[in-house]
Amino acid sequence: MPYQRLCEQTREAVHRAAEYVREQHRNRDNLQVESKGTHDYVTRVDRQTEEILVRELSRILPEAGFVTEEGTSVKKGEDFHWVIDPIDGTTNFIHGTYPFAISVALARGTEVVVGVVHEFGFEETFTAWKGGGAWCNGKPIRVSSAPAVKDALIATGFPYTNFSRLTEFKASMDHFMAHSHGLRRLGSAATDIAYVACGRYDAFYEYGLHAWDIAAGILLVREAGGRITDFAGNPDVLFSDTVACANGLCFREFQETIEKIMIRNEPV
């Protein structure tokens, strides 16, 4: 399977969808915001962007199925499936702030083989294909070289619908605020993970996520030389609701700290 060519075609499809999103962001008077649940929103733009992506991606690999945030396609594939988040960071989009991003991945089973994230604030497109490295706007990217958590700038995402681990999450933030270069929260997991891949952040963790939030980022981080697992350290992370990633130097310390606080509820 020519993954590089598939990645190039996927990037082109994402850019076509991005043109629509960009136009709608400039003309935001009629977003038609709906609530899917507490603090969980969707707009007409989310749905129509997803429809554009499903149509474009179906032309690239007709036999592939889809895993989509807004459910515009439920087609099943025997081997391959596209994993789509039409706008990751919808709340930012609604309020007219950045970042927000399109995230598209192609997975073979649970292995991601192509990943594309387009972030609109800096107009950056992050791309990766299996065995081909990670790229931003056509230039190669690598994870950072921070050797330990104390040297790391860490990104996270606040829970907005799932508050079941809030006590443990607050404890983790307390720890990392006191034992790292600091914490950041942008509001777009796809962007956060892409920023780990290109070395702007040294690490990222969050719970309550979905496959479409992280699929492209999984490959970006791994192809950029980093590591990504669930909170317990399992590498088969695509359909997990927890994710932790970092450069290869500080990952083990970072992941083990998260596991101790978030899963075992032990002091560190």
Side-chain angles (χ1 to χ4, degrees):
M1 182 66 67
Y3 292 135
Q4 181 175 359
R5 178 58 181 152
L6 282 171
C7 185
E8 293 167 355
Q9 292 173 311
T10 304
R11 181 189 62 212
E12 292 167 3
V14 167
H15 282 176
R16 283 191 284 273
E19 292 176 6
Y20 168 75
V21 175
R22 207 173 290 114
E23 178 185 353
Q24 297 303 308
H25 193 245
R26 287 194 296 263
N27 302 283
R28 301 175 57 258
D29 295 334
N30 188 29
L31 287 181
Q32 299 178 18
V33 179
E34 300 175 21
S35 175
K36 296 190 289 185
T38 304
H39 307 143
D40 191 7
Y41 303 104
V42 63
T43 71
R44 171 182 51 84
V45 181
D46 292 80
R47 292 195 177 102
Q48 293 190 357
T49 303
E50 190 171 282
E51 290 174 358
I52 293 169
L53 289 165
V54 168
R55 182 178 65 247
E56 295 290 335
L57 297 169
S58 294
R59 294 169 179 163
I60 297 172
L61 201 63
E63 66 270 27
F66 288 90
V67 177
T68 62
E69 180 175 15
E70 307 307 336
T72 58
S73 176
V74 294
K75 178 184 175 183
K76 304 298 182 183
E78 290 187 7
D79 199 10
F80 291 95
H81 51 276
W82 299 102
V83 187
I84 301 173
D85 194 337
I87 300 180
D88 184 72
T90 294
T91 301
N92 285 354
F93 177 80
I94 290 169
H95 287 272
T97 189
Y98 298 106
F100 54 88
I102 295 173
S103 178
V104 174
L106 179 66
R108 188 170 193 174
T110 60
E111 180 189 18
V112 181
V113 295
V114 168
V116 176
V117 172
H118 180 81
E119 192 282 309
F120 287 87
F122 288 145
E123 291 293 352
E124 290 179 324
T125 305
F126 298 86
T127 57
W129 64 91
K130 182 180 178 181
W135 307 77
C136 177
N137 288 351
K139 297 180 179 179
I141 56 175
R142 294 289 294 176
V143 293
S144 75
S145 57
V149 168
K150 67 180 178 63
D151 307 299
L153 181 62
I154 299 170
T156 190
F158 301 156
Y160 59 95
T161 58
N162 179 354
F163 300 103
S164 62
R165 304 179 188 178
L166 192 56
T167 299
E168 295 87 350
F169 180 67
K170 288 178 179 178
S172 75
M173 289 196 297
D174 288 345
H175 175 81
F176 288 128
M177 280 189 283
H179 297 91
S180 74
H181 277 193
L183 285 174
R184 298 293 183 268
R185 195 270 188 177
L186 294 183
S188 166
T191 302
D192 288 328
I193 298 173
Y195 283 5
V196 172
C198 71
R200 293 174 189 163
Y201 291 145
D202 304 292
F204 167 78
Y205 73 111
E206 188 172 349
Y207 79 89
L209 294 174
H210 303 278
W212 45 78
D213 299 308
I214 66 172
I218 292 170
L219 189 63
L220 285 169
V221 166
R222 288 175 176 164
E223 289 292 336
R227 295 182 62 188
I228 183 165
T229 68
D230 66 12
F231 283 178
N234 300 312
D236 193 5
V237 70
L238 179 59
F239 293 105
S240 171
D241 72 339
T242 69
V243 65
C245 63
N247 71 50
L249 298 175
C250 69
F251 175 81
R252 180 176 293 276
E253 177 193 0
F254 179 62
Q255 179 271 316
E256 289 179 350
T257 301
I258 292 169
E259 182 177 5
K260 185 176 290 186
I261 297 172
M262 293 290 299
I263 297 178
R264 301 204 298 266
N265 198 19
E266 297 176 2
V268 291

